[in-house]
């Protein structure tokens, strides 16, 4: 039943692709080179926890950070033994959007660094977020939104989700802009997310067809199977030019590939997968072993003998009639129809695909995870 549902899903998806338009937007399969996010991170303290913070003796960096923060506020606690449990050391991470302006806000993610059991109800103290160059680009602060909880008692613990991580929506304020502006970019280059020669050629043809009709000239040429160089016409703003290019529709080419996950029994077959004509049979041999020991006693009035347990084993082998089918997969529909004739479970499909690949009849790349 599982196989039939799986194959029926594949067949319905394939039919929908063949009947509907399979074209996608350029912006969904290619990125503009240089327009990307930058990762920033920082180290900070979360306060206001209800006894679920770090144990200062087990996390000495939390105690040192707390002492340094109080020193900066003019409070000297050096040499004092701290016993607080409402403070936790955390790592703050965020993604800095491209061309973001100073004063904008972005979301930040908070993750516990010590042995705190929960960050629920905590507040992040002002934390500097630095980039790979060591410069501070944002400052984060605010109340943490935690999606899980962790409640501990003397003899029982109740938890759901992850209580040692959370987020602060719009919790970081941009203090420094990344160098460079979009209008100052010397060249406009599209980079394919899945590099392919056919897809790169189709994108270039679609862009040049659009450019010939709107600008009366070709505005793109391929550099390799990954990048396409754009030539912006004079008098056209780069933002409007890229916006027009990204809305063009292109049908990307996909490689012939079969992905198999043996742990979950998942099989994903690409649209271009083909199988040369091959006959396949698959049978399951089941062996049943039953132990039924019996008790053996000596005959009545016997002078010698003793009661013993005699093992008795019954072995039954059963191999149901295996079906044989001829697979000739000129397209995905025929391949799924042929596999469906055999009536296998996902594990059986995996075994058959591996055997067909070993026989040289699977004209596709077999990826086993």
């Amino acid at each position: 039943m599982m196989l039939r549902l799986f194959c029926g899903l594949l067949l319905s998806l394939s039919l929908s692709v063949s009947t509907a338009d399979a074209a996608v937007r350029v912006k969904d399969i290619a990125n503009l080179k240089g327009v990307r996010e930058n990762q920033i991170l920082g180290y900070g303290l979360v306060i206001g926890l209800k006894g679920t913070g770090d144990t200062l003796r087990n996390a000495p960096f939390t105690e040192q950070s707390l002492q340094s923060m109080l020193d900066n506020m003019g409070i000297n606690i050096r040499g004092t033994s701290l016993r607080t449990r409402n403070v936790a050391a955390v790592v703050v991470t965020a993604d800095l959007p491209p061309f973001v302006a100073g004063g904008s806000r972005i979301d930040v993610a908070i993750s516990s660094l010590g042995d705190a059991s929960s960050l629920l109800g905590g507040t992040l103290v002002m934390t500097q977020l630095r980039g790979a160059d060591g410069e501070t680009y944002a400052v984060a602060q605010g109340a943490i939104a935690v999606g899980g909880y962790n409640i501990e008692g003397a003899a029982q613990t109740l938890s759901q989700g992850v209580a040692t991580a959370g987020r602060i929506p719009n919790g970081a304020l941009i203090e420094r802009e990344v160098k460079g502006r979009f209008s100052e970019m010397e060249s406009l280059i599209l980079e394919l997310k899945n590099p392919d020669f056919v897809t790169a050629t189709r994108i270039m043809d679609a862009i040049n067809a659009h450019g010939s009709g709107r600008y009366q000239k070709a505005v793109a040429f391929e550099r390799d199977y990954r990048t396409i160089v754009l030539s912006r016409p004079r008098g056209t703003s780069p933002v409007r030019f890229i916006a027009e290019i990204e809305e063009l529709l292109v049908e990307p080419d996909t490689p012939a590939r079969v992905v198999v996950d043996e742990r979950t029994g998942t099989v994903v077959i690409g649209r271009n997968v083909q199988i040369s004509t091959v006959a396949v049979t698959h049978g399951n041999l089941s062996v049943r072993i039953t132990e039924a020991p019996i008790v053996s006693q000596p005959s009545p009035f016997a002078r010698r003998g003793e009661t013993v347990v005699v093992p008795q084993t019954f072995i039954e082998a059963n191999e149901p009639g295996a079906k044989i089918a001829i697979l000739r997969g000129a397209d995905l529909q025929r391949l799924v129809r042929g596999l469906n004739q055999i009536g296998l479970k996902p594990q059986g499909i995996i075994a058959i695909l591996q055997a067909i690949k070993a026989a040289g009849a699977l004209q596709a790349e077999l990826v086993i995870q």
Side-chain angles (χ1 to χ4, degrees):
M1 180 62 67
M2 185 182 298
L3 169 69
R4 298 185 182 276
L5 292 176
F6 170 75
C7 293
L9 177 60
L10 283 179
L11 185 58
S12 62
L13 290 176
S14 178
L15 290 175
S16 63
V17 170
S18 60
T19 56
D21 190 6
V24 298
R25 297 179 300 177
V26 172
K27 68 185 303 181
D28 297 325
I29 58 177
N31 293 323
L32 189 62
K33 185 177 181 180
V35 181
R36 64 178 183 86
E37 296 179 338
N38 292 275
Q39 296 177 334
I40 53 178
L41 81 160
Y43 169 83
L45 292 177
V46 173
I47 61 175
L49 302 176
K50 190 177 180 180
T52 58
D54 293 340
T55 304
L56 299 186
R57 292 297 174 265
N58 297 333
F61 47 85
T62 305
E63 183 178 8
Q64 295 174 7
S65 302
L66 181 59
Q67 291 176 352
S68 299
M69 183 185 69
L70 295 178
D71 285 343
N72 293 332
M73 295 179 179
I75 303 174
N76 186 7
I77 59 171
R78 297 291 180 179
T80 304
S81 179
L82 301 178
R83 299 293 183 182
T84 180
R85 284 296 306 273
N86 60 351
V87 181
V90 295
V91 172
V92 185
T93 59
D95 292 329
L96 192 64
F99 313 116
V100 65
S104 302
R105 287 187 172 272
I106 58 175
D107 299 344
V108 295
I110 315 295
S111 302
S112 176
L113 191 62
D115 60 351
S117 59
S118 176
L119 299 180
L120 184 64
T123 301
L124 177 68
V125 181
M126 185 172 60
T127 302
Q128 298 180 359
L129 303 181
R130 296 182 173 86
D133 56 359
E135 298 291 340
T136 299
Y137 287 91
V139 176
Q141 183 173 274
I144 303 175
V146 179
Y149 58 84
N150 186 19
I151 303 174
E152 296 182 358
Q156 188 176 4
T157 301
L158 178 62
S159 63
Q160 180 177 357
V162 180
T164 55
R167 297 183 63 85
I168 305 180
N170 295 327
L173 188 65
I174 304 300
E175 299 292 344
R176 181 192 298 268
E177 299 180 7
V178 180
K179 296 181 180 180
R181 297 180 179 274
F182 183 67
S183 58
E184 299 175 354
M185 296 181 63
E186 298 180 357
S187 59
L188 300 177
I189 300 177
L190 289 178
E191 290 185 338
L192 273 67
K193 298 179 181 178
N194 297 314
D196 183 81
F197 287 103
V198 177
T199 305
T201 303
R202 292 177 181 177
I203 292 178
M204 184 200 65
D205 293 341
I207 295 176
N208 286 333
H210 172 76
S212 299
R214 180 172 177 80
Y215 307 110
Q216 287 73 46
K217 57 183 267 188
V219 294
F221 67 91
E222 71 277 18
R223 176 180 295 176
D224 49 40
Y225 77 119
R226 181 186 297 270
T227 56
I228 300 174
V229 181
L230 304 178
S231 176
R232 180 171 60 90
R234 294 183 180 180
T236 304
S237 66
V239 176
R240 179 175 294 276
F241 177 66
I242 294 299
E244 294 177 357
I245 296 300
E246 288 186 340
E247 288 298 320
L248 297 178
L249 297 178
V250 177
E251 183 178 355
D253 188 57
T254 56
R257 183 175 298 164
V258 177
V259 181
V260 172
D261 190 342
E262 293 185 324
R263 295 171 298 180
T264 60
T266 303
V267 181
V268 179
I269 304 176
R271 184 181 61 179
N272 297 322
V273 173
Q274 297 185 11
I275 293 181
S276 302
T277 302
V278 61
V280 177
T281 179
H282 184 83
N284 295 324
L285 174 64
S286 59
V287 179
R288 182 179 180 182
I289 301 176
T290 304
E291 296 288 347
I294 60 176
V295 178
S296 177
Q297 295 180 344
S299 301
F301 307 105
R303 295 183 179 181
R304 296 181 180 179
E306 59 182 2
T307 302
V308 296
V309 177
V310 179
Q312 186 176 15
T313 303
F314 297 94
I315 301 179
E316 179 184 0
N318 181 25
E319 185 174 7
K323 296 182 179 180
I324 184 170
I326 298 178
L327 302 182
R328 51 172 71 89
D331 50 29
L332 182 58
Q333 291 92 333
R334 294 184 181 179
L335 173 59
V336 172
R337 191 180 301 114
L339 290 175
N340 204 15
Q341 289 177 358
I342 307 177
L344 300 175
K345 295 182 179 180
Q347 295 297 335
I349 294 182
I350 294 175
I352 284 183
L353 290 175
Q354 292 176 345
I356 294 177
K357 180 64 176 179
L362 180 61
Q363 312 306 328
E365 178 186 1
L366 181 61
V367 180
I368 301 178
Q369 298 179 349

